[in-house]
Amino acid sequence: MMAESVYILCSLTSLFCAAMLVRTYRVQRTRLLLWSSLSFVGLAVTNALLVIDLMVVPEVDLLAIRITVGAISMLLLLIGLIWEVR
């Protein structure tokens, strides 16, 4: 029960961070905020997939999808950081 609560709280936290970044991007329109927003949306999806994988449908293995979405999210943040340095 405790692990499930932590998974849900992590999902909500990443969703909240993504929402704040998207809201700030809509106001300021900077490229780094765009890439950060996209990355955190992907991380929120990854955390939601974790909750679905472990709690909703434990008989289905979503590990490959979770890793792929997480890797793409980190790649988006990396691209944003590299482009911002230029």
Side-chain angles (χ1 to χ4, degrees):
M1 182 63 182
M2 185 66 160
E4 290 86 0
S5 300
V6 171
Y7 296 144
I8 292 170
L9 286 173
C10 288
S11 292
L12 293 174
T13 302
S14 61
L15 183 62
F16 180 68
C17 290
M20 287 192 312
L21 283 166
V22 168
R23 186 185 67 175
T24 305
Y25 171 72
R26 291 180 66 194
V27 172
Q28 294 184 1
R29 299 286 183 184
T30 60
R31 288 187 315 192
L32 187 56
L33 278 172
L34 171 66
W35 292 106
S36 298
S37 299
L38 292 173
S39 176
F40 269 85
V41 166
L43 292 174
V45 169
T46 302
N47 284 325
L49 286 171
L50 176 67
V51 170
I52 291 169
D53 188 17
L54 297 179
M55 295 171 51
V56 178
V57 285
E59 63 276 354
V60 178
D61 186 21
L62 299 177
L63 179 64
I65 297 170
R66 286 190 288 129
I67 289 175
T68 303
V69 173
I72 291 170
S73 299
M74 289 292 98
L75 183 63
L76 288 172
L77 186 59
L78 182 63
I79 289 169
L81 290 171
I82 290 171
W83 277 6
E84 194 64 29
V85 171
R86 291 183 185 177

